[in-house]
Structures are given as C-alpha cells and as structure tokens.
Amino acid sequence: MYLAQIEPAIRASDNHTYTGAVEWLEKARTLFARLEQEDTFDELVRDIRERHRAKRNLIKRLDQRGWPRSALVPAASKGARTTSTSSSSTKRL
C-alpha cells in the first residue's frame, strides 16, 4: 500500500510531494525492518535513486535520511579496495 503512493508522489516533481514520498518510504522501511527485509528496502531506494537521479531535491531528501546510494557507488569503492589489496599482496611477495 505504501509503495503504491511513492511513485505518483515522485512523478509530481515538486518539493511538497517529494517530502510525502520520503514519508511513505519511511513507513515502508519500518515494515521491511519488521519483516527482516532491510536489503529489499535498500534495493528499492537504490532503484528510486537510479530512475529519478535528475531530481536533485528528491535525492537530497534521501541523502538526509542516510539511505543507500546508487549501486554504482559501492562498485567503484570495491574496485578501489581491490586495487589497493592487489598492491598490498604484491608488496608481500
């Protein structure tokens, strides 16, 4: 039910409805947590970020909640870690 309210609020593209969408997301987050499905909520937020990345005010509100960023960001970080790990391994040899 909450999820059905989120997309129309985002599509309206104004700050008032973005606030409403984030409130609906907060309610959904609570339910996902009760069901021990936090990863599913994280995927939902990442999907919203990806599909609506041009909506800066919406993204800002998601950031203020500390909700997950796009899947592209962690992948870049993992690549950086892998590179540094490789250099460390090379130094040990």
Side-chain angles (χ1 to χ4, degrees):
M1 178 164 96
Y2 298 134
L3 300 180
Q5 301 299 319
I6 295 166
E7 281 300 321
I10 292 172
R11 275 186 257 136
S13 293
D14 72 40
N15 291 329
H16 178 71
T17 57
Y18 290 160
T19 300
V22 170
E23 289 172 4
W24 286 113
L25 277 167
E26 183 63 46
K27 291 177 182 186
R29 187 187 67 81
T30 301
L31 292 176
F32 280 114
R34 284 185 191 162
L35 296 170
E36 297 179 1
Q37 294 184 4
E38 291 88 352
D39 290 344
T40 303
F41 176 78
D42 292 351
E43 289 175 31
L44 172 65
V45 172
R46 286 185 186 105
D47 179 58
I48 289 171
R49 283 180 181 276
E50 183 62 30
R51 287 184 295 111
H52 301 287
R53 65 180 168 259
K55 298 180 179 184
R56 292 186 323 247
N57 289 330
L58 172 63
I59 300 303
K60 185 169 99 176
R61 283 170 172 73
L62 298 176
D63 289 345
Q64 288 170 341
R65 298 286 177 131
W67 289 340
R69 297 187 182 273
S70 171
L72 298 176
V73 173
S77 298
K78 287 179 184 176
R81 279 188 231 139
T82 303
T83 304
S84 64
T85 304
S86 302
S87 345
S88 299
S89 299
T90 306
K91 289 178 185 177
R92 283 188 231 148
L93 295 174

